[in-house]
Amino acid sequence: MEPLNLSFLKLTSSCRLFFACVMFLTCISLVSSASNMTDKLALLAFKAGITEDPYGVLSSWNHTTHHCRWYGVTCGRRHSRVTGLDLQDLKLSGSISPHIGNLSFLRVLMLNNNSFCHEIPQQVGHLHSLRVLQLFDNTLEGKIPRNLSGCARLTRLRLGCNRLVGEIPVEFGSLLELQYLSLPKNHLTGTVPSSIGNMSSLEILSLALNELSGKIPSALGKLTKLKSLAVGLNRLSGTIPPSIFNLSSVTLFDIGVNQIEGTLPANIGFTLPNIEIFSISSNRFTGAIPWSISNATTLESATSQFEQTLRECASFGPLKQAQSMELWF
């Protein structure tokens, strides 16, 4: 038998390598295609839950246009996976489909200022890449899903002006990247979880216009980046923990219309040097206003903010872009 030609062996080896590469790239293409189809089907399921679309914005959600070009949809450049869904301010009605949880690359979900009803689906908690969740100013009901704590990369969680009930999940304390926790004007009960004090990145905490009771936890004094503390118009009692008066970064402090008692510390004007809005009205405080308050040269208002919150929930007109609204919702 004659020995095999060496060049033939090299050619055979090269062919095998070539076909292996082709098969690998084909598999990658098929997986990518399947993933994109998953996203498309999830979006179509979301559309199926919409009962009213007065502006007709979802008419672009059809089979003749790639889903990455649909209104309100943003996709990543590399794999064309859905990374953003922005459908705010469109007067949409309906429910949020549980299939939203299949958008595994979703980073931004903004459905605020519409008329979405029923519950927030538990599947939202499966969106582990989610960073912004804005569902405020709808008619959402039921409890806040506890598994939202699984969205560990959340920086903004805004669920105000809905009809949510139950307690604030203690699991939220694990959201260490959260900067904005806003749940005003709902029907939330129970206490303010002390676990919120673990949110080391928190800057805005708005829990006003609910039915919260109990004391303000001293753990909130650990929030060294906090700028806005709004817990007005609840049923809170007890005294304000001294540690909270040492949060020098706070610019808005509203505990108005509660059952809080005690006196204000004599040095409050020095410990809250950046305060702009300070509201303690309609509580059970005793004693005089400390003279040190004159040191707070940035102070603009010392009245309760809850009336403004009511106006903004009722109508998102010119107030929508106001700085004060950003501190609330």
Side-chain angles (χ1 to χ4, degrees), residues 13-25:
S13 177
S14 297
C15 288
R16 289 177 178 175
L17 180 61
F18 172 77
F19 284 116
C21 290
V22 170
M23 291 299 294
F24 176 76
L25 292 175

Side-chain angles (χ1 to χ4, degrees), residues 17-280:
L17 180 61
F18 172 77
F19 284 116
C21 290
V22 170
M23 291 299 294
F24 176 76
L25 292 175
T26 301
C27 289
I28 293 293
S29 178
L30 290 173
V31 169
S32 178
S33 178
S35 298
N36 288 334
M37 182 57 67
T38 298
D39 284 1
K40 181 177 181 179
L41 292 175
L43 291 172
L44 289 174
F46 176 86
K47 179 181 178 181
I50 303 299
T51 56
E52 292 185 31
D53 177 15
Y55 298 141
V57 295
L58 300 185
S59 60
S60 65
W61 291 32
N62 54 60
H63 294 287
T64 60
T65 307
H66 193 279
H67 66 271
C68 288
R69 297 183 179 179
W70 291 354
Y71 185 95
V73 177
T74 301
C75 290
R77 294 181 179 179
R78 187 175 181 182
H79 298 301
S80 296
R81 301 299 303 272
V82 175
T83 58
L85 184 58
D86 182 358
L87 296 173
Q88 53 185 330
D89 308 317
L90 295 172
K91 298 185 179 179
L92 298 173
S93 297
S95 58
I96 302 174
S97 170
H99 291 277
I100 199 79
N102 292 333
L103 299 174
S104 54
F105 280 70
L106 196 66
R107 297 177 64 182
V108 176
L109 178 59
M110 297 191 294
L111 305 177
N112 46 284
N113 197 19
N114 285 292
S115 296
F116 285 101
C117 57
H118 302 305
E119 297 184 350
I120 301 172
Q122 295 283 332
Q123 288 78 3
V124 175
H126 300 163
L127 301 173
H128 301 305
S129 297
L130 199 63
R131 297 195 175 187
V132 176
L133 177 59
Q134 295 189 172
L135 305 178
F136 63 88
D137 197 33
N138 281 286
T139 56
L140 295 167
E141 303 173 343
K143 296 181 178 181
I144 300 173
R146 292 185 176 275
N147 69 346
L148 287 182
S149 60
C151 305
R153 304 183 71 181
L154 270 177
T155 60
R156 287 193 170 218
L157 178 56
R158 306 173 70 180
L159 308 177
C161 295
N162 280 291
R163 300 172 183 174
L164 300 173
V165 299
E167 299 182 351
I168 300 171
V170 295
E171 292 84 353
F172 281 5
S174 64
L175 297 174
L176 301 184
E177 295 184 27
L178 197 66
Q179 300 171 12
Y180 210 127
L181 177 59
S182 184
L183 311 173
K185 201 176 185 296
N186 281 290
H187 303 289
L188 300 176
T189 54
T191 60
V192 177
S194 59
S195 61
I196 291 179
N198 297 328
M199 299 179 180
S200 54
S201 301
L202 199 64
E203 297 180 9
I204 307 295
L205 177 60
S206 180
L207 308 176
L209 287 144
N210 278 291
E211 300 167 27
L212 300 172
S213 58
K215 298 181 178 181
I216 298 175
S218 59
L220 297 190
K222 297 188 296 181
L223 302 176
T224 57
K225 296 181 180 179
L226 196 66
K227 296 178 181 179
S228 175
L229 174 62
V231 294
L233 204 67
N234 277 288
R235 300 172 182 172
L236 300 173
S237 58
T239 59
I240 302 175
S243 59
I244 292 180
F245 287 119
N246 291 324
L247 296 175
S248 59
S249 58
V250 169
T251 60
L252 185 151
F253 183 92
D254 185 7
I255 60 169
V257 195
N258 279 289
Q259 302 168 22
I260 298 173
E261 54 192 21
T263 59
L264 296 177
N267 62 344
I268 188 173
F270 299 103
T271 59
L272 297 178
N274 298 305
I275 196 69
E276 296 176 7
I277 298 175
F278 185 72
S279 171
I280 62 170

